[in-house]
Amino acid sequence: MDTPIRREAIELVSQAADLTRRLGGDYVKLWPGQDGWDYPFQADYKALWTMSIEAVRELAQRHPDLRFAIEYKPREPRNRMTFSSAARTLLAIEEMDVPNVGILLDFGHSLYGLESPADAAQMIMARDKLYAIDVNDNFRGWDDDMVVGSIHLVETFEFFHTLAQANWQGVWQLDQFPFRENAVEAARAGIEVIRTIWHALQILDTDALADAQARQDALAAQRIARAALLSAQLDGR
């Protein structure tokens, strides 16, 4: 199935890839918010899955020198998105069978999908498919794009610890939308949290944490993580 509007969408993304190359970028982010369905019986799930996979595969093959990063999300604007979770997106990438398609992991989308962002990151990195991240926060009921660490500070710390343990070298990107707060101050607040977490990672007792995790001692692990976070905050970094 190759309707004119589908072909137009593929060609539009291909043009964006050409522009990315001219600007010196190395990946194109795909956020397929309109790929999915809203009601039972509305769609042929097999056809939707196949069209989504074939479209991304075609783009990747047409631009082998660029990477394509799929930003998954459980819903919105569609009630159900085709690429809705880390696991589904990885399954789709495996089926595409091209080397230059991976994932942009949005921390808030992972929360919204009731994932553990750290666990999702580990699963993606184990397959060498984590191309980029966005960090923000929310109450898990919507994609609120709040200031980093304002709600789920400990999970944010765990997320970055997981990246550090895997020696992931990507950029820590803010994706915040302060509708009522001063935008500059909100950005500064998010950066301050990220800097605090960075310092906490340097002083985290990783040996003691690994021992606690081996015993699945949740309280000990929490104490170790909390000690690093609070010490980093007191240092004012």
Side-chain angles (χ1 to χ4, degrees):
M1 184 176 182
D2 201 10
T3 62
I5 194 167
R6 179 172 182 270
R7 178 49 43 188
E8 183 180 346
I10 292 172
E11 294 305 322
L12 183 62
V13 177
S14 185
Q15 292 172 26
D18 289 334
L19 180 59
T20 299
R21 185 183 298 107
R22 292 201 298 272
L23 293 175
D26 70 340
Y27 78 86
V28 178
K29 181 176 82 169
L30 302 176
W31 180 67
Q34 300 294 347
D35 289 0
W37 65 94
D38 300 307
Y39 291 92
F41 284 103
Q42 175 183 350
D44 179 333
Y45 302 127
K46 182 179 180 181
L48 285 182
W49 182 255
T50 299
M51 286 189 289
S52 292
I53 287 173
E54 289 181 349
V56 178
R57 181 193 291 130
E58 177 182 336
L59 288 164
Q61 290 175 336
R62 285 171 65 171
H63 303 274
D65 58 320
L66 295 174
R67 297 183 299 163
F68 290 83
I70 299 171
E71 181 178 358
Y72 69 87
K73 188 175 182 179
R75 61 185 298 263
E76 194 250 340
R78 285 292 196 179
N79 285 330
R80 293 289 184 270
M81 283 176 57
T82 301
F83 299 136
S84 57
S85 67
R88 278 180 65 92
T89 309
L90 285 170
L91 183 63
I93 291 171
E94 180 180 319
E95 196 166 327
M96 290 171 201
D97 194 26
V98 287
N100 54 328
V101 178
I103 289 177
L104 184 149
L105 175 52
D106 183 300
F107 186 87
H109 292 183
S110 187
L111 289 176
Y112 182 25
L114 302 182
E115 295 179 331
S116 158
D119 176 58
Q122 175 58 43
M123 183 164 53
I124 298 167
M125 289 187 296
R127 290 154 182 81
D128 197 26
K129 290 299 180 181
L130 185 59
Y131 287 180
I133 62 169
D134 283 348
V135 287
N136 43 50
D137 213 335
N138 61 55
F139 285 101
R140 274 198 159 96
W142 194 248
D143 184 28
D144 302 305
D145 285 331
M146 299 168 72
V147 171
V148 177
S150 55
I151 309 297
H152 296 94
L153 179 59
V154 174
E155 285 184 88
T156 306
F157 185 30
E158 183 190 33
F159 176 69
F160 282 117
H161 169 65
T162 300
L163 297 180
Q165 289 295 101
N167 197 32
W168 189 76
Q169 297 296 316
V171 177
W172 298 13
Q173 301 173 153
L174 285 179
D175 183 18
Q176 302 177 168
F177 281 84
F179 294 104
R180 296 172 185 83
E181 295 73 33
N182 179 279
V184 174
E185 290 304 313
R188 285 175 176 160
I191 293 169
E192 180 183 343
V193 171
I194 290 174
R195 284 176 172 166
T196 298
I197 288 175
W198 174 256
H199 180 51
L201 289 172
Q202 314 312 308
I203 61 177
L204 178 67
D205 189 339
T206 54
D207 290 337
L209 179 60
D211 179 67
Q213 289 177 332
R215 294 180 284 107
Q216 290 204 19
D217 189 334
L219 298 181
Q222 288 275 302
R223 282 195 301 271
I224 294 162
R226 189 167 57 247
L229 269 175
L230 293 177
S231 294
Q233 182 64 54
L234 288 173
D235 283 349
R237 302 191 187 185

